[in-house]
Amino acid sequence: GQQVMQIPQYQHVQEGEDFTTYCNSSTTLSNIQWYKQRPGGHPVFLIQLVKSGEVKKQKRLTFQFGEAKKNSSLHITATQTTDVGTYFCAALGDSGGSNYKLTFGKGTLLTVNP
Amino acid sequence: GAGVSQSPSNKVTEKGKDVELRCDPISGHTALYWYRQRLGQGLEFLIYFQGNSAPDKSGLPSDRFSAERTGESVSTLTIQRTQQEDSAVYLCASSLISPLVMSSYEQYFGPGTRLTVT
């Protein structure tokens, strides 16, 4: 089955430093999504990328989808303590059909030292 | 309701007992998913319902786990003869799923049911 690798597993930064998490797949993806889960909370949708080379920004967050549609990244500029949480990528395969199951990466836990 | 709801929020049960977890998806959402999340771990896919299609049960870890969905509404996840390794948060999510609406693949998660098997 489809696998999505996400690195790093953990990242600890000082407040104000940048942070990046990467998501890689061996197969072409039709759609990649990013979710954030605060400690003790449930995953919350952040963004969806569907086009090759697509870049989207949400304030300090920048999301990219690779040209080959096999990888993606989430970059946070100047982290704040409110950014603490686990960031998951989730991919929808490109095999067509009507199965809309997402494959989640294992997540990157971000902690921020104030 | 405004979002996905799950009940109970917490469940403590004795090993060997059966439990039933409930999920109420967002009205009109055709797809419903169940995940398991152990402490400090990622999301483990369990089962997926999409409209009237046969559910994708490929993630169920054993035959002690089963799930049903009534039409495009409420779903129940049943765990029979619970074991201590079943202790986890069980998350439910729903999606609209419409090829005409690009944003419809987003998953909206419920708050989860924290299951503790003693």
Side-chain angles (χ1 to χ4, degrees):
Chain A
Q2 179 171 289
Q3 287 191 332
V4 173
M5 306 302 293
Q6 191 173 353
I7 56 170
Q9 190 175 357
Y10 307 98
Q11 184 78 58
H12 178 73
V13 300
Q14 288 292 125
E15 190 171 22
E17 293 182 337
D18 293 354
F19 160 76
T20 305
T21 174
Y22 301 89
C23 192
N24 296 288
S25 169
S26 58
T27 58
T28 304
L29 306 171
S30 64
N31 168 317
I32 194 153
Q33 300 175 15
W34 287 90
Y35 292 79
K36 177 183 179 181
Q37 184 175 27
R38 293 181 186 275
H42 57 273
V44 174
F45 173 82
L46 292 176
I47 209 156
Q48 173 177 272
L49 304 169
V50 298
K51 299 177 183 176
S52 169
E54 188 170 15
V55 177
K56 287 188 176 180
K57 294 192 176 185
Q58 289 180 350
K59 297 182 180 178
R60 296 177 294 103
L61 277 62
T62 302
F63 304 83
Q64 291 189 314
F65 202 4
E67 293 289 342
K69 300 181 75 174
K70 290 185 176 182
N71 58 74
S72 181
S73 64
L74 157 59
H75 179 82
I76 302 178
T77 303
T79 54
Q80 299 176 358
T81 55
T82 53
D83 295 326
V84 164
T86 301
Y87 293 84
F88 293 97
C89 62
L92 196 64
D94 202 18
S95 58
S98 59
N99 191 316
Y100 299 102
K101 183 176 75 177
L102 289 178
T103 300
F104 279 81
K106 292 191 181 298
T108 297
L109 172 60
L110 171 65
T111 54
V112 179
N113 198 29
Chain B
V4 178
S5 61
Q6 291 185 245
S7 61
S9 54
N10 280 285
K11 176 73 176 178
V12 180
T13 189
E14 292 180 352
K15 178 181 172 181
K17 301 281 189 183
D18 298 353
V19 296
E20 194 172 273
L21 312 180
R22 177 187 171 108
C23 172
D24 283 273
I26 293 172
S27 178
H29 279 195
T30 60
L32 186 148
Y33 309 80
W34 282 98
Y35 298 90
R36 178 168 70 180
Q37 187 172 35
R38 293 196 167 103
L39 186 63
Q41 303 299 309
L43 298 171
E44 178 184 0
F45 167 78
L46 297 177
I47 189 168
Y48 153 52
F49 297 89
Q50 169 63 43
N52 296 320
S53 303
D56 180 341
K57 303 179 181 181
S58 60
L60 294 178
S62 77
D63 59 7
R64 296 187 295 105
F65 288 72
S66 62
E68 292 183 346
R69 188 182 186 191
T70 308
E72 292 188 350
S73 61
V74 65
S75 175
T76 56
L77 175 69
T78 301
I79 308 174
Q80 296 178 311
R81 305 181 302 283
T82 51
Q83 304 293 314
Q84 287 186 331
E85 66 258 27
D86 298 334
S87 295
V89 174
Y90 289 83
L91 291 161
C92 172
S94 70
S95 290
L96 176 61
I97 302 295
S98 168
L100 299 177
V101 180
M102 190 53 68
S103 64
S104 68
Y105 303 109
E106 304 168 23
Q107 291 192 8
Y108 293 82
F109 283 81
T113 293
R114 181 175 299 279
L115 175 66
T116 304
V117 182
T118 61

